[in-house]
Amino acid sequence: MAEGCMMALRYGMVFFNLLFWLGGCGILGVGVWLSVTQGNFATLSSSLPSLSAANLLIAVGTIIMVIGCLGCVGAVKESRPLLLTFFILLLLIFFLEILSIMLFFIYQDEIDHYAQRDLKKGLQLFGTEGNVGLTNAWMIVQTDFRCCGVTNHTDWFEVYNASRVPDSCCLEYSDNCGLDNPGTWWTAPCYERVKDWLNENLVALWIFALCTALTQILGLVFSMTMFCQAVKVETFYA
């Protein structure tokens, strides 16, 4: 009976962690592709220049792959140290995610203020040498969200020291259209546009968060159950 339970748990753990590992491979692959083809794509922060979509995906993909590999090897070998390590790492990540969500809601106003200030500071690096990622990110955001500046199109006036904006702010794109009159520019603030987009997709974000949490809980349950069974089996045969 005990051997049958261990066999079922082993297959469950291997299948679960194989999916986990493949997911990590996919995320890592997308991150590497973005890094190679787009450089520091989606780098908007001046204080955290390494916080790009590519770097985040590479980091997340690598972590998932390592944890998935630990779980797979631990299940196949019925290694208590590896199973326990898998459980502790997954539990730590789970608690960090919960803590991050709680802190976000508690300090939402402060985060908003800091993010806007940091983004405005980052505007000063637009178009400068070595900041291709930030420049491309602003061009994409303003074009896709039909917005201009962080809180207002006048944010760009301080960057250029003149009444002009990047060409990506124009209703109809053309070279040097940012020099034309303000009636040809988007006036909606990008920060609010992105927040509105997130609010519109809040249900999808919560479903994704819930699925992620359930996946992690299943991993925790599988690993701890298998660890306890391994201890029982070893005690029984001892």
Side-chain angles (χ1 to χ4, degrees), residues 7 30-31 41 46 87 98 115 154 181 211 214 220:
M7 187 67 71
V30 173
F41 176 79
S46 59
F87 177 84
I98 293 175
T154 57
N181 96 55
C211 290
L214 288 174
L220 291 169

Side-chain angles (χ1 to χ4, degrees), residues 194-216:
V194 173
K195 280 187 67 176
D196 290 343
W197 179 82
L198 289 172
N199 286 330
E200 288 170 6
N201 293 276
L202 203 57
V203 173
L205 289 172
W206 277 114
I207 290 173
F208 175 77
L210 183 61
C211 290
T212 302
L214 288 174
T215 302
Q216 290 172 325

Side-chain angles (χ1 to χ4, degrees), residues 21 31 38-39 52 57 76 81 96 100-102 109-110 113 124 126 129 146 152 205:
W21 185 80
Q38 302 290 339
S52 66
L57 289 174
V76 171
L96 285 174
S100 298
I101 293 171
M102 289 174 62
D109 292 338
E110 289 84 350
H113 178 72
Q124 301 294 331
F126 183 87
E129 188 177 352
R146 299 182 177 185
N152 195 287
L205 289 172

Side-chain angles (χ1 to χ4, degrees), residues 110-126:
E110 289 84 350
I111 292 171
D112 272 347
H113 178 72
Y114 173 80
Q116 290 180 45
R117 185 179 62 187
D118 189 55
L119 289 171
K120 285 183 179 180
K121 185 179 177 182
L123 294 183
Q124 301 294 331
L125 302 176
F126 183 87

Side-chain angles (χ1 to χ4, degrees), residues 21 32 39 45 65 71 93 104 112 119 135 160 173 207 227:
W21 185 80
V32 171
S45 174
M65 283 180 64
I93 291 171
F104 174 79
D112 272 347
L119 289 171
T135 301
Y160 290 107
Y173 180 86
I207 290 173
F227 176 81

Side-chain angles (χ1 to χ4, degrees), residues 165-214:
V165 297
D167 295 342
S168 55
C169 279
C170 299
L171 278 69
E172 294 185 10
Y173 180 86
S174 63
D175 288 339
N176 297 318
C177 62
L179 293 169
D180 296 337
N181 96 55
T184 63
W185 306 334
W186 302 114
T187 55
C190 289
Y191 192 81
E192 291 302 322
R193 274 293 176 91
V194 173
K195 280 187 67 176
D196 290 343
W197 179 82
L198 289 172
N199 286 330
E200 288 170 6
N201 293 276
L202 203 57
V203 173
L205 289 172
W206 277 114
I207 290 173
F208 175 77
L210 183 61
C211 290
T212 302
L214 288 174

